[in-house]
Amino acid sequence: MAFEVTQILLNAQSSDGAVRRTAEENLKQFQEQNFPVFLLSLAHELANNEKPPESRKLAGLILKNSLDAKDASRKAELAQAWISLDNALKSQIKGALLMTLSSPVKDASHTAAQVIAKVAAIELPLREWPDLVGSLLSNMGTPQAQKPPGLKQATLETLGYVCEEISPEVLAQEQVNSILTAVVQGMNTSETNNDVRLAATRALYNALDFAQNNFDNEMERDYIMRVVCEATLSPDVKIRQAAFECLVSISSTYYSKLSPYMGDLFTITSKAVREDEEGVALQALEFWSSICDEEIEAQEEYGAEFSEDSEVPYFKFIKQALPALVPLLLETLTKQEENQDQEEGAWNLSMAGGTCLGLVARTVGDDIVPLVMPYVQENIAKPDWKFREAATYAFGSILEGPSLEQLTPLVQVAFNFMLNAMKDQNTHVKDTTAWTLRRIFEFLHGPNVDVPVVNQNNLSVIVEVLSEGIKDVPNVAEKICGAIYFLAQGYEGTSEPSSPLSPYIQGIIQMLLASADREDANESRLRTSAYETLNEVVRCSTEDTAPVIMQLLPAILQKLNSTLDMPVLSSEDREKQNELQASLCGVLQVIIQKLSALEITKFGILQCADQMMALLLRVFSCRNATVHEEAMLSIGALAYATGPEFAKYMQEFYKYLEMGLQNFEEYQVCAVTVGVVGDLCRSLDDKILPYCDGIMTQLLKDLSSSHLHRSVKPPIFSCFGDIALAIGENFEKYLAYAMPMLQTAAEVSAQGGGDDDELIDYYNQLRNGILEAYSGIMQGFKNTKAELMVQYASHILQFIESICDDPHRDDAVTKSAVGVLGDLADTLGSHVAILFRNSSSYQGFLQECQASDDQQLKETADWALAIISRIVSQ
Amino acid sequence: MLNPVDHSPASRRDQFKAAVGNVAGERRRKQAIIIGKERRDAVVRAKRMRRADDNDEGMMYDEPFSDKIINEETVRAVQELKFLFSSSSKDSSQKKIEALRKLRRLLSCSSNPPVASAVEAGVVPILVKCLEFGSSDEQLVEAAWSLTNIASGDSELTLAILPALPLLIAHLGERSAAPVAEQCAWAVGNVAGEGEQARDLLSSQGALLPLAKLLLLNKPMLVKTAAWALSNIIKGPSSKAAVELFKVDGLSEAIIRHLTKGDEELVVEIAWVVVYITSLAESQTKLLIKSGLLPPLVAWLSSSESLSLLTPVLRSVGNLVAGDNSNTDALLDAAKDLPGGLFGCLVRCLGSEHRTLQKEAAWTVSNIVAGSLQHKQLVFGSRVVPTLLHLLATSTFDVRKEAAFALGNLSVMPAGESQLPQPIMEHLSMLVERGCLPGFINLVKSPDLEASRLGLQFLELVLRGLPNGQGSKLVEKEEGLAALEVLEYHDNDDLRSMANELIDKYYGEDYGLEEEYGPGIAEVVRGGEEYPSWRKGWVVNS
């Protein structure tokens, strides 16, 4: 019943556009009209050795794409479509796929391996296709009955892909054991065919997650580690690289099992770093970076108090390897390539080595300083720029990790040298020097530093050096922006009306605007960094420079206005326009926030409000997600500044608000817009009422959509609360829609996230959103429509009780839950007295919160308990 | 693969001299969310902790508060006042006002204000002192406000402020500032709400005339409060107060003016004043009509959607038509240009979604059709009849009963010399034809004596009135005979004898025997705060 599809598949790859389009159209029609036969025809094409490789490969790819997609909801649809196919048909297709593995045509067998993995991803979790693993393993043959290498290679690929697709618990332990046995045998030196060895090594990479039990068993672990280490010595570079990739993966998955092997691993990796080809050497360095990641995380996990019986394993491998490891890393630093700083995506030995050195410094702290400083001193003034750059990079790399006591004297001495080094002839050196200055400001400047590197005496010199540096090539200028960013941030949060940076603010703003305006500002992300730095400078500025910020406002508005008239002839033009608009809206947001915080400067914002709003509305009409997101944030800030006056803009603005709420695809836009609805509620109060029907409809649609990213849902619930607070009793008409959504979400969140940290975090956000909604609704109804909530009271109380009992609840949820308890009693009074009398858990929970160090939580708990006791005792 | 760590060169490369722009933008956007969240928390917190009224700077109780604490604070506030107003104190008036304001805020606590503690602590004498002549307006307002709050409590607390009444009434006068007069009117209104005795006391202390004079002003808030207080005082049952009002010159005109031009809330309060006047004082009602009461009244009846406004307006119209037949004529005339005329307005109320309006409208119609033959005929030709029939068949019991009264009155001639009411044949046969009989038979079966009697009287009319013995057949067919038979053993003597007589007369062996029964039916007292207990027409006076 299969159809002949060869010609269409070939046509679909034709160089003639018309032919190609017709073929694609035919394929699409075929797929829509008879999906089962379509799939079967493709499988037959793939399996048929008499067909041309091109049509077979494409048949396989289309099959693969009919089983899987990136988008989660599309993926689920495709899986469902496959599941509902006739079983006999599915068997035919699967049979054809397995048969293809033995094809001498690599394209065909390789594609078949991928398709099998996609089918397995759907079927194995449903306990279907039980004989898959068995039939794959039988392809591997025995010493007595050898199978062709091509089949073994394709089979190992298949096993690797299957492991990549499914999670470990899907397979039974004996299946895992036989897969690992087959894979490790394929890697063994006794396997003479290099293609088979390579396929086996790559398969092991994917199968490592399945090997928990095997790594627990010392004998099996030793065997696996031996085979992997042997493979790092293979004459074939691809096998060596694949073997190091396995070691990297083992270093994070089985960190706790590594102790016995560390000596050998150091020997193997250092040899590779020094002698092997770059691809292999980079993986060898990555092994150490990955160990650093594990140890940094372990230290963060238990903070300062490390004890031997700590649950998180921490073996101080880096500290032990330090005397040998640091010299190895320093060696790599002089292996720079010319122009590596200008090339996006460049990655070489010196970059990887320097990055690893920075991680090592964070892992061991002070211990690294005496090992690195002699290298710095010896090389920082050498004639060869490679040594000067390497020394600077080494110095910059160790600025995070060691204590301030260790670093401060060093930096005090080196600081002037660094400022001078900005005059180096070599751009590469200047780039790294500027980056080092940024790190000095980031870690050694600010209110927490006792002996600040920056002081009244050198500030003017610093600003001068920065103002010269920012004129350099874009990659250097970008690093200077970073330096200014942290220089400004170091002065944040003083309650003083003036900052030491105040005299320079005007000049700094000018230089940042000038770099953003540079012709070459799109290189090295200079423009974005310049504007974000400007934002930080504005944000951290003090009262005395408010007039300067006030002057900045019209300049930014003028720039934003001129983007609207930019000639847009190409997609690059469009991109540039969008990037610029997004950045300028960002600046606008920060200026509005800053100026509206002070009564004396707020009027400046209010005066320009009409103009700003007109401009932002025009910006909205250029359709781009990032621009919308940023413009929304400006609107939010503006609404706070204007308060209820914002109502006059609502009619025109509303359609963009709605557009934002409808933007499922670019969910960040949707999320930001939901936040702005909250801002508007707080600014407009009941003047938002005329728009609430539309907004609520949209929010409810968002919630019921399976396409919207889940992270937007908690803020939508909070937004219900914002709306209810703003419109009070008028929320009544939405209640019948909102409450079931809230109740369902409450049930979902009560399931708990198990061990999945991400899920636990999400459920906490969800609960917080739900609780904020309940608070808002109850307070909105409090004086006039409280009785509407009576029917939901017991559900709400149960929900909170489930939260009280959950050890995973976070502080925000706790605080919100306490509030809702009080709101229940405050709003519903005697209606809920009986519920509280019959509830046991709330009291302990509230008393626990009363003992909290968090003053606000304590107050809220006091309030809630007082109000509940009053209604209970009545 | 499920390895959680990304070891790709790309992810590691992102760490290499990372551009500041990316992280900074992310941080800035997160900051915006945090700001929103902080503001939300602030709003919610303020709402939770707020206890005083919205216009004040807000009374924030940072500590846990409970009744006990509030009560203690109240006692302290009273003691402070006592000290400040003692002769030895030299404190400034500003300080006194602040202390008064503090007390007033405590007494304004939304739930469960500490009024009792304040009275117990002796607050009333001090407040009376604060009301003395020559006090500042601010002080007067604050004192009167506290008294208002005390008077809104239980009845013994209301009575506690009686010593303050003379001064409160004194400050109602035309020389007081509007806020002072308004607050005093409010306090007086609260006392009047307490009951008949309190109302008499207020009248005897002379509260009526100053309040009535306030109605002459053009200050909506003040007039509204005064009208509310006034309506509380003139409620009756004695008509004395309602009559005495009219000693104020220009009162009728002022009432009509507010009724015509006032905002909705003001019209509501004025309309309640009109309700009590039309219900209690006939000649004063005539005066109001002469001044132009009817056009605004029917205009509101025809156009308003507000239940709180329609209720007093419809009640007033009902009171009017229950009086002199000429009132009905005047109303018909006043409404002649409105859609559907007076009956159009009434049909609107009969068809309202509010049961109380349906019921009052039916009561009003029943009083109209208890009037002249001409009125009966006018109603009969209007859309009122199908609406009433519909209500009789489908509505709740109390509405059905009122509809039945109206339909019953519609079916009989105006009361004449004859002791038995005479049917209007055209009306009766038409109503029966349109299926009203089951509705009345249902009433016969009702446990409510009045309803049951009404049903019986209508059956009697049908049995007697319809020619050729049609009546007895129809009644039997609709299971009316069965309903009568049940009543043969009823506890109530009247009902039992009426039912027996009907069965004997129309279904029994003694067919044709004329016997007298009926008009001497005891007056039925209707309960509740509803329209007046009397009605015109058939049942009471036929």
Side-chain angles (χ1 to χ4, degrees), chain A residues 44-80:
Chain A
H44 280 307
E45 182 76 16
L46 178 62
N48 192 337
N49 278 329
E50 282 156 22
K51 297 292 183 181
E54 295 79 19
S55 67
R56 296 179 71 183
K57 188 176 175 185
L58 184 59
L61 287 177
I62 297 176
L63 261 181
K64 194 180 100 180
N65 292 338
S66 308
L67 296 164
D68 192 17
K70 276 212 179 90
D71 177 66
S73 59
R74 173 86 185 129
K75 186 186 175 100
E77 279 169 29
L78 292 174
Q80 199 47 52

Short mmCIF file of all heavy atoms in Angstrom, two decimals, chain A residues 44-80:
data_model
loop_
_atom_site.label_atom_id
_atom_site.label_comp_id
_atom_site.label_asym_id
_atom_site.label_seq_id
_atom_site.Cartn_x
_atom_site.Cartn_y
_atom_site.Cartn_z
N HIS A 44 9.61 2.93 3.50
CA HIS A 44 10.04 2.02 2.44
C HIS A 44 11.13 2.63 1.59
O HIS A 44 12.08 1.96 1.20
CB HIS A 44 8.84 1.64 1.54
CG HIS A 44 8.00 0.56 2.17
ND1 HIS A 44 8.51 -0.62 2.62
CD2 HIS A 44 6.67 0.50 2.44
CE1 HIS A 44 7.56 -1.37 3.14
NE2 HIS A 44 6.41 -0.70 3.05
N GLU A 45 10.99 3.90 1.31
CA GLU A 45 12.00 4.59 0.52
C GLU A 45 13.35 4.52 1.23
O GLU A 45 14.37 4.20 0.64
CB GLU A 45 11.57 6.06 0.32
CG GLU A 45 12.50 6.89 -0.52
CD GLU A 45 12.36 6.58 -2.02
OE1 GLU A 45 11.35 5.97 -2.40
OE2 GLU A 45 13.27 6.97 -2.78
N LEU A 46 13.28 4.81 2.54
CA LEU A 46 14.51 4.83 3.34
C LEU A 46 15.17 3.45 3.35
O LEU A 46 16.39 3.32 3.30
CB LEU A 46 14.18 5.29 4.77
CG LEU A 46 15.33 5.32 5.78
CD1 LEU A 46 16.41 6.30 5.35
CD2 LEU A 46 14.81 5.72 7.17
N ALA A 47 14.35 2.43 3.43
CA ALA A 47 14.88 1.07 3.59
C ALA A 47 15.37 0.47 2.27
O ALA A 47 16.11 -0.51 2.28
CB ALA A 47 13.80 0.17 4.20
N ASN A 48 14.95 1.04 1.15
CA ASN A 48 15.20 0.39 -0.14
C ASN A 48 16.60 0.70 -0.68
O ASN A 48 16.89 1.82 -1.08
CB ASN A 48 14.13 0.88 -1.13
CG ASN A 48 14.14 0.04 -2.38
OD1 ASN A 48 15.16 -0.58 -2.71
ND2 ASN A 48 13.02 0.03 -3.08
N ASN A 49 17.47 -0.34 -0.69
CA ASN A 49 18.85 -0.14 -1.12
C ASN A 49 18.99 0.21 -2.59
O ASN A 49 20.06 0.60 -3.04
CB ASN A 49 19.68 -1.38 -0.80
CG ASN A 49 20.12 -1.37 0.67
OD1 ASN A 49 20.32 -0.29 1.24
ND2 ASN A 49 20.23 -2.53 1.27
N GLU A 50 17.90 0.03 -3.33
CA GLU A 50 18.01 0.33 -4.76
C GLU A 50 17.73 1.81 -5.07
O GLU A 50 17.89 2.26 -6.18
CB GLU A 50 17.05 -0.55 -5.56
CG GLU A 50 17.63 -1.95 -5.72
CD GLU A 50 16.57 -2.99 -5.96
OE1 GLU A 50 15.47 -2.62 -6.42
OE2 GLU A 50 16.84 -4.16 -5.67
N LYS A 51 17.28 2.52 -4.06
CA LYS A 51 16.93 3.93 -4.28
C LYS A 51 18.18 4.80 -4.14
O LYS A 51 19.13 4.42 -3.44
CB LYS A 51 15.89 4.37 -3.25
CG LYS A 51 14.58 3.62 -3.37
CD LYS A 51 13.87 3.98 -4.65
CE LYS A 51 12.52 3.28 -4.72
NZ LYS A 51 11.81 3.59 -5.97
N PRO A 52 18.14 6.01 -4.73
CA PRO A 52 19.31 6.90 -4.62
C PRO A 52 19.46 7.38 -3.16
O PRO A 52 18.46 7.60 -2.48
CB PRO A 52 18.97 8.08 -5.54
CG PRO A 52 17.54 7.92 -5.92
CD PRO A 52 17.10 6.54 -5.62
N PRO A 53 20.71 7.54 -2.68
CA PRO A 53 20.95 7.98 -1.30
C PRO A 53 20.23 9.29 -0.96
O PRO A 53 19.74 9.46 0.16
CB PRO A 53 22.46 8.19 -1.24
CG PRO A 53 23.01 7.39 -2.37
CD PRO A 53 21.94 7.30 -3.42
N GLU A 54 20.14 10.21 -1.95
CA GLU A 54 19.55 11.53 -1.66
C GLU A 54 18.08 11.40 -1.26
O GLU A 54 17.62 12.02 -0.30
CB GLU A 54 19.66 12.46 -2.88
CG GLU A 54 21.06 12.83 -3.28
CD GLU A 54 21.75 11.72 -4.07
OE1 GLU A 54 21.04 10.83 -4.62
OE2 GLU A 54 23.00 11.71 -4.13
N SER A 55 17.33 10.61 -2.04
CA SER A 55 15.90 10.49 -1.72
C SER A 55 15.72 9.71 -0.42
O SER A 55 14.83 10.00 0.37
CB SER A 55 15.15 9.80 -2.87
OG SER A 55 15.56 8.45 -2.99
N ARG A 56 16.60 8.74 -0.17
CA ARG A 56 16.49 7.96 1.06
C ARG A 56 16.74 8.85 2.28
O ARG A 56 16.03 8.80 3.27
CB ARG A 56 17.50 6.81 1.04
CG ARG A 56 17.22 5.81 -0.06
CD ARG A 56 18.24 4.71 -0.08
NE ARG A 56 18.12 3.80 1.05
CZ ARG A 56 18.96 2.79 1.27
NH1 ARG A 56 19.99 2.59 0.45
NH2 ARG A 56 18.79 2.00 2.31
N LYS A 57 17.76 9.69 2.17
CA LYS A 57 18.10 10.55 3.30
C LYS A 57 16.94 11.52 3.61
O LYS A 57 16.54 11.68 4.77
CB LYS A 57 19.37 11.34 3.00
CG LYS A 57 19.88 12.11 4.19
CD LYS A 57 21.19 12.81 3.89
CE LYS A 57 21.60 13.67 5.07
NZ LYS A 57 22.81 14.45 4.78
N LEU A 58 16.42 12.12 2.53
CA LEU A 58 15.33 13.08 2.75
C LEU A 58 14.10 12.38 3.33
O LEU A 58 13.41 12.91 4.22
CB LEU A 58 14.98 13.82 1.45
CG LEU A 58 13.91 14.89 1.62
CD1 LEU A 58 14.35 15.96 2.62
CD2 LEU A 58 13.57 15.56 0.29
N ALA A 59 13.83 11.15 2.81
CA ALA A 59 12.70 10.40 3.35
C ALA A 59 12.85 10.24 4.86
O ALA A 59 11.91 10.44 5.65
CB ALA A 59 12.62 9.03 2.68
N GLY A 60 14.10 9.90 5.28
CA GLY A 60 14.37 9.71 6.71
C GLY A 60 14.16 11.00 7.50
O GLY A 60 13.56 11.00 8.57
N LEU A 61 14.65 12.10 6.92
CA LEU A 61 14.53 13.38 7.64
C LEU A 61 13.07 13.78 7.82
O LEU A 61 12.66 14.24 8.89
CB LEU A 61 15.28 14.48 6.88
CG LEU A 61 16.80 14.37 6.97
CD1 LEU A 61 17.47 15.47 6.14
CD2 LEU A 61 17.24 14.49 8.44
N ILE A 62 12.27 13.56 6.73
CA ILE A 62 10.85 13.93 6.85
C ILE A 62 10.18 13.05 7.90
O ILE A 62 9.37 13.51 8.72
CB ILE A 62 10.14 13.81 5.49
CG1 ILE A 62 10.76 14.80 4.49
CG2 ILE A 62 8.65 14.08 5.62
CD1 ILE A 62 10.21 14.70 3.09
N LEU A 63 10.53 11.77 7.89
CA LEU A 63 10.00 10.87 8.92
C LEU A 63 10.33 11.39 10.32
O LEU A 63 9.47 11.47 11.20
CB LEU A 63 10.64 9.49 8.77
CG LEU A 63 9.87 8.40 8.05
CD1 LEU A 63 10.70 7.13 8.05
CD2 LEU A 63 8.53 8.15 8.74
N LYS A 64 11.59 11.76 10.50
CA LYS A 64 12.04 12.25 11.80
C LYS A 64 11.23 13.48 12.22
O LYS A 64 10.76 13.58 13.36
CB LYS A 64 13.53 12.61 11.72
CG LYS A 64 14.18 12.80 13.07
CD LYS A 64 15.65 13.15 12.93
CE LYS A 64 15.84 14.65 13.09
NZ LYS A 64 17.22 15.10 12.98
N ASN A 65 11.06 14.38 11.25
CA ASN A 65 10.33 15.61 11.58
C ASN A 65 8.84 15.36 11.79
O ASN A 65 8.13 16.23 12.31
CB ASN A 65 10.53 16.65 10.48
CG ASN A 65 11.97 17.15 10.47
OD1 ASN A 65 12.67 17.04 11.48
ND2 ASN A 65 12.40 17.64 9.33
N SER A 66 8.35 14.19 11.33
CA SER A 66 6.94 13.88 11.58
C SER A 66 6.75 13.29 12.98
O SER A 66 5.63 13.01 13.40
CB SER A 66 6.44 12.85 10.56
OG SER A 66 6.72 13.30 9.26
N LEU A 67 7.86 13.07 13.69
CA LEU A 67 7.77 12.45 15.01
C LEU A 67 8.17 13.38 16.14
O LEU A 67 7.91 13.10 17.30
CB LEU A 67 8.68 11.22 15.04
CG LEU A 67 8.29 10.09 14.10
CD1 LEU A 67 9.44 9.11 13.92
CD2 LEU A 67 7.06 9.37 14.61
N ASP A 68 8.81 14.50 15.79
CA ASP A 68 9.36 15.34 16.86
C ASP A 68 9.42 16.80 16.41
O ASP A 68 9.56 17.06 15.21
CB ASP A 68 10.76 14.85 17.23
CG ASP A 68 11.26 15.48 18.53
OD1 ASP A 68 10.42 16.02 19.29
OD2 ASP A 68 12.47 15.44 18.79
N ALA A 69 9.32 17.68 17.33
CA ALA A 69 9.46 19.10 17.03
C ALA A 69 10.04 19.79 18.26
O ALA A 69 9.95 19.26 19.37
CB ALA A 69 8.11 19.71 16.67
N LYS A 70 10.62 20.95 18.05
CA LYS A 70 11.20 21.69 19.19
C LYS A 70 10.11 22.18 20.12
O LYS A 70 10.18 22.03 21.33
CB LYS A 70 11.98 22.90 18.66
CG LYS A 70 13.40 22.56 18.26
CD LYS A 70 14.32 23.76 18.52
CE LYS A 70 15.76 23.45 18.15
NZ LYS A 70 16.08 23.77 16.76
N ASP A 71 9.06 22.76 19.52
CA ASP A 71 7.98 23.33 20.31
C ASP A 71 7.24 22.23 21.08
O ASP A 71 6.82 21.23 20.50
CB ASP A 71 7.02 24.06 19.36
CG ASP A 71 5.83 24.62 20.09
OD1 ASP A 71 6.04 25.53 20.90
OD2 ASP A 71 4.72 24.11 19.88
N ALA A 72 7.08 22.42 22.37
CA ALA A 72 6.58 21.33 23.22
C ALA A 72 5.16 20.90 22.85
O ALA A 72 4.85 19.71 22.84
CB ALA A 72 6.63 21.76 24.68
N SER A 73 4.30 21.86 22.52
CA SER A 73 2.92 21.47 22.25
C SER A 73 2.82 20.76 20.89
O SER A 73 2.09 19.79 20.73
CB SER A 73 1.99 22.68 22.31
OG SER A 73 2.39 23.64 21.37
N ARG A 74 3.64 21.24 19.93
CA ARG A 74 3.69 20.58 18.62
C ARG A 74 4.22 19.16 18.79
O ARG A 74 3.72 18.20 18.21
CB ARG A 74 4.59 21.41 17.69
CG ARG A 74 4.89 20.78 16.34
CD ARG A 74 3.82 21.09 15.32
NE ARG A 74 4.09 20.36 14.08
CZ ARG A 74 3.21 19.60 13.46
NH1 ARG A 74 1.99 19.47 13.96
NH2 ARG A 74 3.51 18.99 12.35
N LYS A 75 5.24 19.03 19.61
CA LYS A 75 5.86 17.73 19.88
C LYS A 75 4.80 16.75 20.41
O LYS A 75 4.71 15.60 19.97
CB LYS A 75 6.97 17.93 20.92
CG LYS A 75 7.82 16.71 21.21
CD LYS A 75 8.76 17.07 22.39
CE LYS A 75 9.57 15.87 22.83
NZ LYS A 75 10.93 15.89 22.28
N ALA A 76 4.00 17.23 21.34
CA ALA A 76 2.97 16.37 21.93
C ALA A 76 1.94 15.95 20.87
O ALA A 76 1.48 14.80 20.83
CB ALA A 76 2.29 17.09 23.08
N GLU A 77 1.59 16.90 20.00
CA GLU A 77 0.64 16.58 18.92
C GLU A 77 1.19 15.47 18.03
O GLU A 77 0.47 14.53 17.69
CB GLU A 77 0.40 17.81 18.03
CG GLU A 77 -0.59 18.82 18.58
CD GLU A 77 -0.56 20.11 17.76
OE1 GLU A 77 -0.24 20.05 16.54
OE2 GLU A 77 -0.81 21.18 18.35
N LEU A 78 2.47 15.61 17.64
CA LEU A 78 3.07 14.62 16.75
C LEU A 78 3.12 13.25 17.42
O LEU A 78 2.82 12.23 16.79
CB LEU A 78 4.48 15.07 16.36
CG LEU A 78 4.55 16.30 15.45
CD1 LEU A 78 5.99 16.74 15.25
CD2 LEU A 78 3.89 16.01 14.10
N ALA A 79 3.48 13.23 18.70
CA ALA A 79 3.54 11.96 19.41
C ALA A 79 2.16 11.31 19.41
O ALA A 79 2.00 10.11 19.16
CB ALA A 79 4.03 12.18 20.83
N GLN A 80 1.14 12.13 19.66
CA GLN A 80 -0.23 11.61 19.70
C GLN A 80 -0.62 11.04 18.33
O GLN A 80 -1.24 9.99 18.24
CB GLN A 80 -1.20 12.72 20.12
CG GLN A 80 -2.54 12.22 20.64
CD GLN A 80 -2.37 11.09 21.65
OE1 GLN A 80 -1.63 11.20 22.61
NE2 GLN A 80 -3.04 9.96 21.40
#
